[in-house]
């Protein structure tokens, strides 16, 4: 099979498409013929060697956690899937994902049936970002209907799904991005939009129940200030919560790490079926343009998600 192989930590030029052996499956796994795979900022942090969970990986290595495809082989212990099923998932995280390939071996627990409403490209774009948004808002953020939530970087891979999920949960949603993304963020259902290049977010919002910060060090202190007393701050891109709590000791602040879950994808599938959650795929690139995909992501200026296909 063809796969995108990373020869060493470093820049995106270290990737090349090569012929490699098809993976063998364990009894708890299925073999998926990958129709499309997605990329996330975690991928370029892993590629460069800066992600903490990447330290133990050896080279050459096949990266890639997000994918959608068709089951072609089923392990002896697997009950939920059969050959021919269209599936998607965030596979093998935080081990090397190996989904930048024509076939991937994946634990059945990491997969869900692909919602019929999604193309393979849309489904491949979704898993890591949508699981992050869902777990941040619900499991950690305990978002309730009627609450006010501020979502920092509402136009990004995670943020654009966070806006829609928060609306679907009945919240009042304020999204931030630069002005070029205002129409997009409002189209997702945001009740208010703040252009962070024109206004200080904390000057506009000071009574949020929950802030979901997907941007990081540039925004985290404004996020803390935008909360009402006893508000909740969930961050996915900034970890020094002691510094945040020094500024706002009256809030709860947590940095979370997404976990893979086919069951969560199944739950989220209801919103997709109801038309409440759309996946924005801004670009579909051929697999041999993986370096281009990584470089675009590293610019931090992409809207929605980038997906690749062989
Ligand atoms: N902890 C976890 O489990 C976890 C899970 C997923 C992701 N992450 C991390 O979360 C971060 C976001 O991931 P992602 O996939 O959503 O990234 P992304 O798609 O690359 O985000 C890009 C978006 O961020 C917006 N943006 C950049 N700076 C901003 C700012 N100062 N204020 C508001 N918006 C801003 C950009 O909008 P403009 O172009 O309009 O500026 C762009 O649309 C990454 O650092 C990623 O590694 C962590």
């Amino acid at each position: 099979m063809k796969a995108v192989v990373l020869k060493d930590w470093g820049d995106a030029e270290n990737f090349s498409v090569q012929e490699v052996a098809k993976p063998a499956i364990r009894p708890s796994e299925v073999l998926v013929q990958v129709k499309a795979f997605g990329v996330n900022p975690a991928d370029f942090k892993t590629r460069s060697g800066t992600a903490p969970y990447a330290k133990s990986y050896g080279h050459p290595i096949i990266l890639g956690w997000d994918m959608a495809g068709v089951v072609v082989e089923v392990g002896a212990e697997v009950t939920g899937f059969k050959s021919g099923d269209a599936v998607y998932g965030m596979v093998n995280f935080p081990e090397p994902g190996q989904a930048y390939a024509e076939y991937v071996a994946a634990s059945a627990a990491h997969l869900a049936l692909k919602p019929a409403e999604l193309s393979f490209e849309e489904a491949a774009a979704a898993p890591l970002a949508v699981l992050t948004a869902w777990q941040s808002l619900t499991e950690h953020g305990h978002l309730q209907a009627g609450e006010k939530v501020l979502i920092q970087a509402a136009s990004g891979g995670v943020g654009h799904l966070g806006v829609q999920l928060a609306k679907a949960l009945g919240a009042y949603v304020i999204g931030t991005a630069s002005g070029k993304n205002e129409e997009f963020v409002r189209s997702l259902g945001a009740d208010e939009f703040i252009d962070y290049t024109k206004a200080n977010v904390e000057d506009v919002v000071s009574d949020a129940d929950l802030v979901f910060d997907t941007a990081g060090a540039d925004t985290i202190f404004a996020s803390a200030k935008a909360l009402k007393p006893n508000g909740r701050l969930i961050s996915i891109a900034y970890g020094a919560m002691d510094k945040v709590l020094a500024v706002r000791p009256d809030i709860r602040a947590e940095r979370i790490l997404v976990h893979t879950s086919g069951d969560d994808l199944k739950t989220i599938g209801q919103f997709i079926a109801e038309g409440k959650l759309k996946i924005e795929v801004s670009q579909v690139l051929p697999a041999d343009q993986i370096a281009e995909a990584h470089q675009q992501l590293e610019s931090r200026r992409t809207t929605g998600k980038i997906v690749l296909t062989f």
Side-chain angles (χ1 to χ4, degrees):
M1 69 168 188
K2 287 195 184 68
V4 176
V5 177
L6 180 70
K7 68 176 177 191
D8 201 356
W9 303 132
D11 66 30
E13 305 305 331
N14 282 349
F15 285 123
S16 60
V17 175
Q18 296 181 15
E19 281 293 330
V20 302
K22 247 194 225 181
I25 54 169
R26 299 190 189 108
S28 59
E29 292 180 334
V30 299
L31 186 67
V32 181
Q33 183 181 22
V34 177
K35 297 287 187 188
F37 61 89
V39 287
N40 290 284
D43 296 24
F44 70 69
K45 294 173 188 176
T46 303
R47 184 209 75 223
S48 63
T50 55
Y53 40 75
K55 302 287 182 215
S56 61
Y57 300 177
H59 290 94
I61 190 172
I62 301 171
L63 304 183
W65 290 295
D66 276 348
M67 67 87 222
V70 176
V71 174
V72 292
E73 203 184 320
V74 179
E77 294 169 6
V78 174
T79 52
F81 300 99
K82 59 182 188 319
S83 281
D85 282 345
V87 294
Y88 74 137
M90 169 188 168
V91 298
N92 304 323
F93 186 85
E95 299 301 316
Q98 309 197 61
Y100 290 2
E102 288 181 303
Y103 294 86
V104 68
S107 164
H110 300 177
L111 299 172
L113 292 174
K114 180 182 78 63
E117 296 79 5
L118 298 184
S119 65
F120 281 107
E121 287 82 3
E122 289 166 330
L128 189 148
V130 83
L131 288 169
T132 304
W134 175 253
Q135 291 163 11
S136 295
L137 294 171
T138 61
E139 203 178 300
H140 301 278
H142 306 291
L143 183 63
Q144 304 297 316
E147 287 193 319
K148 184 181 275 193
V149 58
L150 170 70
I151 301 185
Q152 295 271 30
S155 50
V158 177
H160 90 286
L161 300 168
V163 169
Q164 297 175 78
L165 287 172
K167 281 307 292 178
L169 292 168
Y172 182 89
V173 181
I174 306 168
T176 71
S178 68
K180 69 176 189 317
N181 281 315
E182 173 165 4
E183 204 180 312
F184 173 56
V185 173
R186 288 193 187 276
S187 78
L188 303 169
D191 299 286
E192 284 180 49
F193 176 82
I194 302 171
D195 177 350
Y196 69 87
T197 67
K198 297 223 170 93
N200 291 322
V201 171
E202 68 271 34
D203 293 341
V204 184
V205 190
S206 56
D207 61 347
D209 297 286
L210 174 68
V211 178
F212 179 31
D213 190 315
T214 77
D218 293 344
T219 53
I220 197 79
F221 292 97
S223 291
K225 289 176 194 159
L227 282 165
K228 69 182 192 188
N230 299 316
R232 291 107 64 199
L233 173 57
I234 302 296
S235 166
I236 56 169
Y238 182 85
M241 286 310 169
D242 50 335
K243 291 188 184 151
V244 175
L245 291 168
V247 177
R248 278 298 301 263
D250 60 324
I251 62 168
R252 183 168 76 71
E254 186 187 0
R255 190 254 171 103
I256 73 117
L257 182 66
V258 63
H259 58 88
T260 184
S261 168
D263 287 342
D264 278 0
L265 285 178
K266 221 163 139 185
T267 305
I268 293 162
Q270 292 167 8
F271 296 109
I272 295 169
E274 290 165 7
K276 292 178 177 166
L277 184 65
K278 296 205 160 48
I279 320 295
E280 172 73 10
V281 176
S282 57
Q283 272 187 86
V284 180
L285 295 173
D288 61 5
Q289 287 187 29
I290 186 72
E292 166 72 20
H294 270 234
Q295 284 154 2
Q296 282 196 40
L297 263 188
E298 284 180 274
S299 77
R300 305 304 315 279
R301 294 278 80 79
T302 54
T303 298
K305 299 285 302 178
I306 301 174
V307 166
L308 297 100
T309 59
F310 275 98

